[in-house]
Amino acid sequence: MSVPYRIESPSSNAVGDKIPASERIPIIARPFVSDRAKKTLDIVEKFVEEECIPADAVYQAQIGDTVKERFDAHPQIVEDLKKRARELGLWNMFLPANHFKEGAGFSNLEYGLMAECLGKSVIASEATNCAAPDTGNMEVLAKYGTQKQKDRWLKPLLEGKIRSAFLMTEPEVASSDATNISLSMRREGNEYVLNGSKWWSSGTGDRRCEIYIVMAKSDPSNTNPYKQQSVVFVPFDTPGITIKRMLSVFGFDHAPHGHGHVTFENVRVPVENICLGEGRGFEVIQGRLGPGRIHHAMRSIGAAEKALEWFIARINDPRKTPFGQMLHKHGIMLERVARSRMEIDAARLQVLNAAIMIDSKDAKFALKEIAEAKVLIPQVLMDVLDRAIQSYGGAGISQETPLASMWANGRTMRIVDGPDEVHLLQLGRNENKRGPAMLERIAWQKAKSAEMAKAYGVEIKDVLQLDRLSTSNKSRL
Ligand SMILES: Cc1cc2nc3c(=O)[nH]c(=O)nc-3n(C[C@H](O)[C@H](O)[C@H](O)COP(=O)(O)OP(=O)(O)OC[C@H]3O[C@@H](n4cnc5c(N)ncnc54)[C@H](O)[C@@H]3O)c2cc1C
């Protein structure tokens, strides 16, 4: 197996960086990272920096220009990089060791460090078979699939031979609340009949996408709204399925992958295609978003690092000297660099902490940390990208740098993974449960102050009189 380009590393570490990724792991995470993972992490970093990022531009060029060309394309560079990744032992790193035998055997933390590297390139995730939505879909098949379903779809997915899509969101309903999902699924004999439409079905544009994992309403009259839905495996070429159009993201078509608006008209699939069982759709989507819940956040840290790299490169460009000096001589830029550095470092700790929490038990145990990561990391990415874009002036919002398309991608993260508001409400509600206890604590401390003041013969003015408020309303607490 060989690739048509020359591989030549200018240094023992990834180009331009003296310290390899394994030595930059935050110190609080290091005890949880195995030697094998550290070695692999350094290989991932070199692969991304020296092969995938340079290949991104080739990939874009190989996709072509017209809509037809773009959605028919399967750039050769992807297949060559896949071969290369396999030679390097970089394959399916995303499937966590403690849950799946099919993966490369890394923990969520270990994969999180690798995913950060992958997040710096457009094609690195696909090249290593760690791209969404296949990752979540493989988790579904590995976790809930029957042997027959696994043989038919999981095996080729794990080998990177086919791709897949997850169809939950619908144009007619607010899909951030999955109880609203209404594509109808009716049983007729040994078949299910599906009618309705889906959109934002990522991956449906790719001609290698062979399997749709579809959430549908199978039991609309069930009194438990969480038992009304089912998930079913639908081959992409089943009669009655039409891809009406592809949606764009701020004008980017994301071809050949794409995001389809797909209609189902009397689409028939055998009952054996059910996932887990009728009425168990919520279990499946929750399981699907198990460890993979923070993959986007992990990659976004890498994207933020890349934005900062481009930012620093721009402010050190000797050809561009507004008002007589390079941009880094203008103090405001250094402040923005410093803020970006701090925010990325804090965000990384946050996402790695969430990964460690998941590894220590499961995704349920880490609900708070996962929600925090989903809100915080996209925000940090947006802020860093915005500063980097600003430093390039007009070039920053054009196709001349990767920053504009990274911004468009990054902005979707505040919606794709469940809108910010949903996570914020969950976090806020849980945090607010401490209200009565906090009132009680402050009242107690105030009362203690009064007692101490009395002992010392001083007077404390307490305008709010929280001690009285709390004790007089104690029955309400
Ligand atoms: C690039 C991209 C790729 C995607 N890929 C897929 C995919 O592969 N498969 C798939 O099924 N879906 C996919 N989606 C869809 C995505 O999951 C949904 O857009 C998301 O869940 C929100 O659902 P909705 O669009 O129906 O918005 P709605 O549910 O209508 O929500 C609209 C807005 O209402 C507000 N809101 C929602 N809930 C609350 C609340 N509790 N409190 C206050 N405000 C609230 C938020 O501001 C939210 O953005 C993708 C989306 C994008 C942009």
Side-chain angles (χ1 to χ4, degrees):
M1 284 204 279
S2 66
V3 293
Y5 55 88
R6 201 156 54 103
I7 300 156
E8 188 181 82
S9 183
S11 65
S12 58
N13 303 325
V15 57
D17 230 325
K18 292 278 174 283
I19 307 168
S22 61
E23 288 173 34
R24 302 197 310 274
I25 298 171
I27 199 154
I28 58 171
R30 277 184 212 172
F32 303 98
V33 184
S34 68
D35 287 343
R36 182 172 87 94
K38 284 182 190 155
K39 269 193 202 133
T40 307
L41 174 62
D42 290 340
I43 301 171
V44 172
E45 183 180 45
K46 269 173 78 69
F47 178 59
V48 171
E49 296 291 343
E50 296 173 13
E51 300 190 46
C52 297
I53 294 176
D56 281 346
V58 179
Y59 173 79
Q60 298 296 354
Q62 285 184 343
I63 290 175
D65 294 321
T66 65
V67 174
K68 178 154 174 26
E69 271 171 13
R70 292 177 67 73
F71 282 104
D72 273 350
H74 177 48
Q76 181 58 35
I77 191 93
V78 177
E79 287 308 314
D80 291 339
L81 284 173
K82 278 157 84 174
K83 276 187 206 153
R84 181 76 184 125
R86 292 192 96 153
E87 280 169 8
L88 293 168
L90 308 179
W91 198 252
N92 290 336
M93 294 93 76
F94 71 93
L95 272 176
N98 54 351
H99 284 98
F100 302 99
K101 60 181 185 327
E102 294 89 349
F106 296 113
S107 66
N108 284 288
L109 169 68
E110 291 166 343
Y111 175 63
L113 295 162
M114 297 172 201
E116 175 178 332
C117 299
L118 300 179
K120 294 175 83 176
S121 156
V122 176
I123 52 173
S125 294
E126 186 177 349
T128 51
N129 216 36
C130 291
D134 298 329
T135 43
N137 294 341
M138 286 189 259
E139 281 188 35
V140 166
L141 280 155
K143 217 167 173 177
Y144 307 120
T146 61
Q147 195 52 50
K148 202 169 164 193
Q149 291 165 348
K150 285 184 184 182
D151 290 344
R152 184 162 175 198
W153 296 300
L154 179 59
K155 208 163 164 279
L157 276 169
L158 284 167
E159 288 169 1
K161 289 190 174 145
I162 64 167
R163 299 212 62 189
S164 60
F166 186 75
L167 280 62
M168 185 180 84
T169 306
E170 298 177 2
E172 293 88 5
V173 299
S175 305
S176 53
D177 172 2
T179 59
N180 291 327
I181 295 305
S182 59
L183 184 131
S184 133
M185 174 172 162
R186 200 179 67 242
R187 186 168 176 160
E188 270 184 23
N190 279 335
E191 288 180 328
Y192 292 117
V193 185
L194 307 177
N195 279 289
S197 62
K198 296 284 181 185
W199 73 348
W200 289 111
S201 307
S202 300
T204 47
D206 193 320
R207 61 184 162 90
R208 293 163 303 151
C209 180
E210 291 197 6
I211 177 69
Y212 297 171
I213 301 183
V214 179
M215 191 184 201
K217 188 160 272 190
S218 49
D219 185 7
S221 51
N222 196 310
T223 49
N224 182 345
Y226 297 97
K227 301 262 182 213
Q228 294 180 354
Q229 327 282 341
S230 300
V231 165
V232 65
F233 298 107
V234 183
F236 78 108
D237 54 356
T238 313
I241 295 179
T242 309
I243 299 182
K244 303 273 284 184
R245 59 179 175 145
M246 301 308 289
L247 301 169
S248 65
V249 171
F250 295 105
F252 293 95
D253 63 8
H254 290 177
H257 183 69
H259 312 282
H261 179 179
V262 188
T263 57
F264 289 67
E265 207 182 328
N266 292 323
V267 172
R268 291 176 175 271
V269 288
V271 289
E272 66 185 29
N273 282 19
I274 191 82
C275 178
L276 201 59
E278 281 180 29
R280 301 182 70 180
F282 267 85
E283 264 175 84
V284 176
I285 60 165
Q286 268 155 13
R288 178 178 189 273
L289 297 175
R293 278 164 193 249
I294 51 169
H295 287 179
H296 282 312
M298 291 164 168
R299 284 188 292 264
S300 294
I301 300 284
E305 277 292 356
K306 180 171 174 172
L308 180 55
E309 289 171 9
W310 276 76
F311 183 10
I312 295 170
R314 172 64 184 87
I315 64 174
N316 285 280
D317 184 341
R319 299 164 307 164
K320 302 280 181 107
T321 51
F323 301 96
Q325 41 190 3
M326 277 198 275
L327 278 180
H328 75 267
K329 299 278 186 196
H330 298 272
I332 192 166
M333 288 296 173
L334 288 186
E335 190 207 324
R336 288 177 190 169
V337 168
R339 283 197 187 285
S340 302
R341 180 72 280 147
M342 289 189 299
E343 289 165 14
I344 295 171
D345 286 353
R348 179 183 293 105
L349 289 180
Q350 206 289 322
V351 79
L352 294 182
N353 181 53
I356 294 169
M357 291 282 290
I358 299 173
D359 287 333
S360 71
K361 209 167 170 192
D362 53 31
K364 240 185 188 162
F365 182 61
L367 274 186
K368 176 170 87 68
E369 288 71 19
I370 290 169
E372 286 170 355
K374 286 189 176 208
V375 177
L376 185 80
I377 280 82
Q379 190 58 65
V380 167
L381 173 58
M382 287 285 88
D383 290 344
V384 177
L385 272 168
D386 190 68
R387 295 174 193 132
I389 286 172
Q390 187 72 12
S391 75
Y392 278 85
I397 50 171
S398 75
Q399 69 275 39
E400 288 296 299
T401 79
L403 299 170
S405 76
M406 285 168 68
W407 190 91
N409 265 344
R411 181 61 184 82
T412 69
M413 295 304 152
R414 296 187 51 209
I415 297 171
V416 177
D417 242 1
D420 281 1
E421 291 87 342
V422 174
H423 307 302
L424 286 167
L425 270 180
Q426 178 207 324
L427 280 169
R429 250 189 231 124
N430 280 337
E431 196 64 20
N432 193 50
K433 284 183 188 154
R434 304 198 306 146
M438 291 308 100
L439 207 51
E440 194 67 18
R441 172 180 290 175
I442 291 165
W444 186 89
Q445 287 166 342
K446 289 276 181 194
K448 185 82 179 178
S449 287
E451 208 179 297
M452 288 164 105
K454 203 168 164 192
Y456 282 97
V458 291
E459 197 186 337
I460 301 173
K461 296 240 181 313
D462 183 0
V463 181
L464 287 179
Q465 296 192 319
L466 279 171
D467 54 338
R468 286 203 205 156
L469 179 78
S470 174
T471 41
S472 60
N473 290 289
K474 212 164 178 179
S475 56
R476 289 200 308 155
L477 297 181

